[in-house]
Amino acid sequence: MNLEKVVFGFFVLLAATLNFGFFIGDIADPALHNVYELFAAVVVSLIATVLKFGDRTQIGAVHLATSLVADLQLIAAAFVWTYAAHISSEGLTPAMMASVVSLSGGALFANVVSVVLLVVETVSFHRR
């Protein structure tokens, strides 16, 4: 068993599951979306991105691209939440929360693509 592949797979799946956990629930209800779960999703997604550097294959490039998309979406969601909660005079309105959850939904889609690539890569692996 290759420990590097285990760690890689662990962080790819953890990024997707944390993102899913944040995304699920009424899109406009802040009580159903935990800010700490969003923070954890951002951190784990960034770790997964770092682990994807160095793979010079075509599928590695697509893995990195999906991770960068997820990072961008999650960081944008965190900025919108921060702006709404701490800067905006209106506070965290349902419309702002919907924007945060929508951005995390985009990241979730990128994470699902990454997990599918991981599964395809694993299934198509041939021992030599």
Side-chain angles (χ1 to χ4, degrees):
M1 185 179 312
N2 185 342
L3 183 61
E4 181 180 327
K5 296 278 186 192
V6 172
V7 170
F8 176 75
F10 172 80
F11 278 101
V12 168
L13 288 171
L14 185 60
T17 57
L18 283 170
N19 195 347
F20 179 77
F22 176 79
F23 177 77
I24 207 74
D26 181 17
I27 193 168
D29 188 356
L32 301 177
H33 305 283
N34 190 313
V35 69
Y36 297 112
E37 193 166 19
L38 177 61
F39 176 74
V42 170
V43 169
V44 171
S45 185
L46 290 170
I47 292 169
T49 301
V50 169
L51 292 175
K52 292 175 184 179
F53 280 108
D55 188 352
R56 303 257 183 224
T57 64
Q58 179 63 32
I59 203 160
V62 178
H63 264 299
L64 182 59
T66 60
S67 199
L68 291 171
V69 168
D71 292 345
L72 182 64
Q73 296 269 348
L74 288 172
I75 290 168
F79 277 129
V80 170
W81 188 311
T82 302
Y83 173 79
H86 302 290
I87 299 170
S88 174
S89 60
E90 298 171 7
L92 190 57
T93 64
M96 286 294 222
M97 194 67 221
S99 294
V100 171
V101 175
S102 293
L103 286 165
S104 78
L108 178 61
F109 182 75
N111 282 329
V112 167
V113 171
S114 188
V115 169
V116 168
L117 287 174
L118 180 64
V119 170
V120 167
E121 186 178 22
T122 302
V123 168
S124 66
F125 179 74
H126 300 291
R127 284 192 191 252
R128 295 175 192 173

